[in-house]
């Protein structure tokens, strides 16, 4: 049977290990002794990284803390940091700030565990304590000091103002967001208790901005609704619509549209239709000539004033309103044409231009003026003068259309004509092959039913010269009655 034997080498190893273990144990005992000693020491003073009311009390005994607080109390001042670099102060002296130690410091020290000092010393754990019960002050004096602050004076306060949209700018062609004004109006419900708490805890600074003491604007320049409204409004204000009336133009752009836009409760924009209607009405008022009284230089060398009739520019206001409203809503810029119920020849100068028909009922003569020159003259027979509803109406008209041939149908007659040129309901110019003579005073005893009878050759010549809407002036001119007549002239 084999037996284990210890060699000299094995014995040396065991002895060395025992020495190492002994040394380590000794070191541990020393370290523990140091740790325990420091822990016991911290049983009578505050741990590292400890503060009371913002004052570093690390390593201090209660007596040392009391003395430090007494020293701070003597020179205590609360600095109130306001907007725009302004500061104000309230001193402990003016509010009769005093100290009264009531055992609170001892309680705080007892609540600390001295054996945890490595957590504070080595790991940086902090203990920030606040004590309010040891301080007292004259409440009335503090209230007076607060009321004397400029930030509490209404005369020195500026109320906040919401961000808003500017008026229309010709320079930018739209609106801009005018930034909010922060102002410096304080919320006393926040400020008063904040100052009281700061004094009670010997706090040395109070930042009103950080504390949220200022009344804030309800709408700021980065408000999503305001941004969206500005963008939508500027899209509308970028619309430019031009109406051309000959050489005159009427331009509708953002400077006018700004007053037509309405904002709903949800921030949406709409166009005020009443404003569109008023604008179109002003266009019609400025440019309608329908039924106007006109003075012309007659072919008799004297001026004639012609009243009545249905000739002239006459805007279809409801249709034009709808057309313009849709253009604005769809943001369609460009030149637009009003919708007309009746049209004339020109906007510049006389609306009838320099090509027109002139019919003198007194003289029973018709003239066609082309480019200011008489190119056709004809005797005519007009409506029977002695019967009211058969007289040819006076006024300024536009030829409704022309037709060749045509049939005239009325009470007691049905007549075929080669050239038909109506200008007022069923009253018009036409040939009359049943007549042998024209002009003079025939119309007084054998006039038409209201139409203007012409020799067929002259009717043919006039038919070739006129178009729909050619102006015709029908008037009476005293002193121009003629007795002469002319015969029927047939086409060759």
């Amino acid at each position: 049977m084999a037996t284990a034997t210890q060699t000299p080498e094995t014995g040396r190893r065991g002895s060395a290990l025992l020495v190492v273990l002994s040394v380590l144990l000794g070191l541990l005992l020393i370290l523990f002794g140091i740790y325990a000693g420091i822990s016991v020491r911290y049983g009578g003073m505050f741990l590292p990284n400890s503060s009371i009311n913002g004052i570093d009390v690390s390593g201090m005994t209660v007596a040392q803390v009391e003395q430090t607080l007494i020293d701070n109390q003597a020179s205590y001042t609360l600095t109130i940091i306001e907007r725009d670099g302004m500061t104000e102060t309230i001193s402990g002296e003016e509010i009769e700030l005093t100290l009264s130690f009531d055992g609170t410091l001892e309680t705080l020290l007892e609540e600390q565990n001295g054996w945890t000092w490595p957590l504070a010393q080595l790991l940086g754990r902090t203990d920030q304590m606040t004590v309010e019960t040891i301080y007292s002050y004259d409440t009335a004096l503090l209230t007076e000091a607060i009321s004397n602050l400029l930030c509490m004076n209404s005369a020195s306060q500026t109320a906040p103002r919401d961000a808003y949209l500017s008026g229309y700018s010709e320079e930018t062609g739209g609106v801009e967001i005018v930034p909010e004004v922060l102002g410096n109006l304080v919320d006393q419900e926040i400020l008063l208790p904040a100052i009281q708490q700061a004094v009670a805890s010997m706090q040395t600074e109070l930042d009103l901005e950080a504390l949220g003491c200022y009344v804030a604007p309800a709408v700021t320049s980065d408000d999503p609704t305001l941004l969206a409204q500005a963008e939508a409004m500027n899209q509308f204000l970028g619309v430019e619509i031009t109406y051309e009336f000959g050489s005159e133009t009427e331009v509708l752009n953002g400077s006018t549209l700004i007053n037509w836009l309405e904002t709903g409760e949800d921030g949406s924009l709409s166009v005020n239709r009443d404003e569109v209607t008023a604008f179109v009405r002003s266009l019609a008022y400025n440019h309608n000539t329908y039924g106007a009284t006109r003075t012309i230089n007659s072919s008799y060398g004297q001026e004639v004033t012609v009243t009545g009739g249905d000739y002239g520019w006459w805007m279809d206001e409801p249709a034009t309103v709808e057309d313009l409203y849709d253009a604005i809503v769809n943001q369609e810029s460009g030149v637009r044409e009003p919708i007309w119920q009746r049209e004339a020849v020109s906007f510049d100068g006389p609306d009838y231009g320099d090509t027109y028909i002139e019919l003198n009922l007194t003289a029973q003569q018709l003239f066609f003026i082309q480019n200011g020159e008489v190119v056709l003259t004809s005797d005519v027979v007009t409506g029977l003068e002695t019967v009211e509803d058969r007289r040819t109406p006076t006024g300024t008209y536009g030829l409704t259309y022309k037709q060749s041939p045509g049939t005239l149908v009325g009470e007691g007659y049905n007549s075929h004509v080669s050239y038909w040129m109506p200008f007022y309901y069923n009253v018009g110019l036409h040939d009359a092959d049943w007549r042998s003579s024209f002009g003079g005073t025939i119309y007084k005893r054998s006039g038409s039913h209201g139409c203007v009878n012409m020799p067929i050759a002259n009717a043919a010549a006039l038919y070739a010269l006129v178009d729909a809407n050619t102006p015709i002036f029908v008037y009476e001119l005293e002193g121009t009655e003629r007795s002469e007549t002319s015969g029927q002239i047939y086409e060759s």
Side-chain angles (χ1 to χ4, degrees), residues 80-130:
I80 301 171
I81 303 172
E82 303 170 13
R83 274 184 181 157
D84 302 323
M86 287 283 296
T87 59
E88 298 187 75
T89 59
I90 296 176
S91 69
E93 182 180 2
E94 65 181 301
I95 62 174
E96 297 183 358
L97 181 67
T98 59
L99 286 169
S100 176
F101 299 114
D102 58 358
T104 302
L105 296 178
E106 288 82 356
T107 301
L108 291 176
L109 181 60
E110 290 173 3
E111 289 176 350
Q112 286 193 340
N113 185 351
W115 295 89
T116 63
W117 65 265
L119 297 177
Q121 184 73 50
L122 303 177
L123 301 181
R125 190 183 73 175
T126 60
D127 190 1
Q128 298 175 343
M129 297 165 282
T130 301

Side-chain angles (χ1 to χ4, degrees), residues 42 45-50 57-59 112-114 116-117 120 125:
Y42 273 116
M45 61 184 183
F46 288 96
L47 293 173
N49 296 319
S50 297
V57 296
S58 302
Q112 286 193 340
N113 185 351
T116 63
W117 65 265
R125 190 183 73 175

Side-chain angles (χ1 to χ4, degrees), residues 346-368:
S346 174
F347 288 107
D348 295 324
D351 64 350
Y352 52 86
D354 58 5
T355 298
Y356 52 88
I357 300 168
E358 182 184 335
L359 176 60
N360 182 351
L361 299 180
T362 307
Q364 292 288 285
Q365 280 190 309
L366 176 147
F367 303 91
F368 183 70

Side-chain angles (χ1 to χ4, degrees), residues 244-261:
E244 295 180 345
F245 302 91
S247 60
E248 185 179 350
T249 59
E250 302 257 10
V251 179
L252 173 65
N253 58 23
S255 62
T256 300
L257 289 172
I258 186 69
N259 300 312
W260 296 7
L261 299 179

